[in-house]
Amino acid sequence: MGDPNLAPNARFTYRHYRTWPDSERWELIEGRAWAMSPAPRTRHQVISGRLSRWIGNFLEDKPCQVFTAPFDVLLPEADESDDEVDTVVQPDIVVYCDRSKLTEAGARGAPNLVVEILSPSTSKKDQHEKFDLYERHGVGEYWVVDPGNRSLMVYRPRPDGRYDEGELRESVRDYGPIASRILEGFAVDPEELFAE
């Protein structure tokens, strides 16, 4: 039960995930293996690099840290061992303010902020399965960047823990910057984010 290509309906955990070839990128969501291929497109990488650089510069001399994919984020359901965790994701960008969650191999527990940049092969998963996953695990802000529509949607938890309807910014409209509540003082102007 090692290679997800050979057992597409099997349930996997981090114990299996760690044995898969480094040449392949996978995520696990509740034991189900999701291939992370093909590789992201150039536009995706430009936006990812730009946004992670801005966040990194903002976090200079602050306690939070930014990480970019590939970076394993284990999301346990309770106190199970790492080997038994059945959800391991590789968000495009994550921010952790609690350094005790960082491990030698990545991180264990919900990030403070997650950014997913949509691509044709991951769009549905990022907007459905991962939305539900991040909401359930208490991610403080979930940013969904859509290069095709040149838009940025930010979801934040309401008092009941469920995400709100989201705050949208589009570079084709004059909406101005969108600010993070998690990273107080950090804002992104979609016009600059999506600049050619």
Side-chain angles (χ1 to χ4, degrees), residues 166-185:
E167 184 178 353
L168 176 67
R169 291 292 186 276
E170 298 174 288
S171 67
V172 295
R173 293 187 170 52
D174 187 25
Y175 283 139
I178 190 165
S180 171
R181 291 185 193 156
I182 293 292
L183 306 179
E184 193 173 336

Side-chain angles (χ1 to χ4, degrees), residues 14-67:
Y14 190 55
R15 177 170 30 94
H16 306 107
Y17 174 94
R18 288 189 321 231
T19 67
W20 298 340
D22 289 338
S23 59
E24 299 174 10
R25 286 187 53 219
W26 294 87
E27 290 184 311
L28 293 179
I29 298 179
E30 298 174 342
R32 180 176 172 203
W34 295 77
M36 299 284 293
S37 59
R41 295 179 177 180
T42 302
R43 186 80 184 126
H44 177 288
Q45 295 300 77
V46 167
I47 291 168
S48 177
R50 187 175 288 161
L51 189 52
S52 62
R53 188 173 57 252
W54 291 346
I55 294 171
N57 290 341
F58 175 80
L59 293 178
E60 197 69 35
D61 301 322
K62 293 181 176 66
C64 302
Q65 287 185 281
V66 63
F67 300 92

Side-chain angles (χ1 to χ4, degrees), residues 58 113 140-143 152-156 164 166-169 175-190:
F58 175 80
L113 183 145
E141 263 182 12
Y142 180 33
W143 292 33
L152 169 61
M153 181 72 86
V154 175
Y155 298 97
R156 301 177 183 96
D164 60 18
E167 184 178 353
L168 176 67
R169 291 292 186 276
Y175 283 139
I178 190 165
S180 171
R181 291 185 193 156
I182 293 292
L183 306 179
E184 193 173 336
F186 179 74
V188 171
D189 185 335

Side-chain angles (χ1 to χ4, degrees), residues 13-170:
T13 66
Y14 190 55
R15 177 170 30 94
H16 306 107
Y17 174 94
R18 288 189 321 231
T19 67
W20 298 340
D22 289 338
S23 59
E24 299 174 10
R25 286 187 53 219
W26 294 87
E27 290 184 311
L28 293 179
I29 298 179
E30 298 174 342
R32 180 176 172 203
W34 295 77
M36 299 284 293
S37 59
R41 295 179 177 180
T42 302
R43 186 80 184 126
H44 177 288
Q45 295 300 77
V46 167
I47 291 168
S48 177
R50 187 175 288 161
L51 189 52
S52 62
R53 188 173 57 252
W54 291 346
I55 294 171
N57 290 341
F58 175 80
L59 293 178
E60 197 69 35
D61 301 322
K62 293 181 176 66
C64 302
Q65 287 185 281
V66 63
F67 300 92
T68 59
F71 182 80
D72 288 345
V73 173
L74 280 69
L75 296 173
E77 288 300 322
D79 61 355
E80 68 267 30
S81 71
D82 285 357
D83 276 351
E84 297 309 309
V85 173
D86 68 359
T87 298
V88 184
V89 291
Q90 293 189 11
D92 291 306
I93 302 171
V94 293
V95 172
Y96 277 92
C97 298
D98 180 352
R99 293 186 183 213
S100 71
K101 293 182 177 181
L102 301 178
T103 68
E104 191 63 35
R108 179 185 168 108
N112 296 82
L113 183 145
V114 169
V115 178
E116 294 286 7
I117 301 166
L118 302 183
S119 60
S121 61
T122 66
S123 180
K124 183 178 177 198
K125 179 178 61 166
D126 290 341
Q127 294 180 86
H128 298 283
E129 284 83 3
K130 282 189 165 181
F131 177 96
D132 294 341
L133 184 71
Y134 297 148
E135 179 182 68
R136 187 163 41 88
H137 283 273
V139 171
E141 263 182 12
Y142 180 33
W143 292 33
V144 179
V145 179
D146 185 344
N149 289 320
R150 299 171 57 93
S151 67
L152 169 61
M153 181 72 86
V154 175
Y155 298 97
R156 301 177 183 96
R158 298 181 303 230
D160 66 359
R162 304 288 306 248
Y163 281 144
D164 60 18
E165 65 282 350
E167 184 178 353
L168 176 67
R169 291 292 186 276
E170 298 174 288

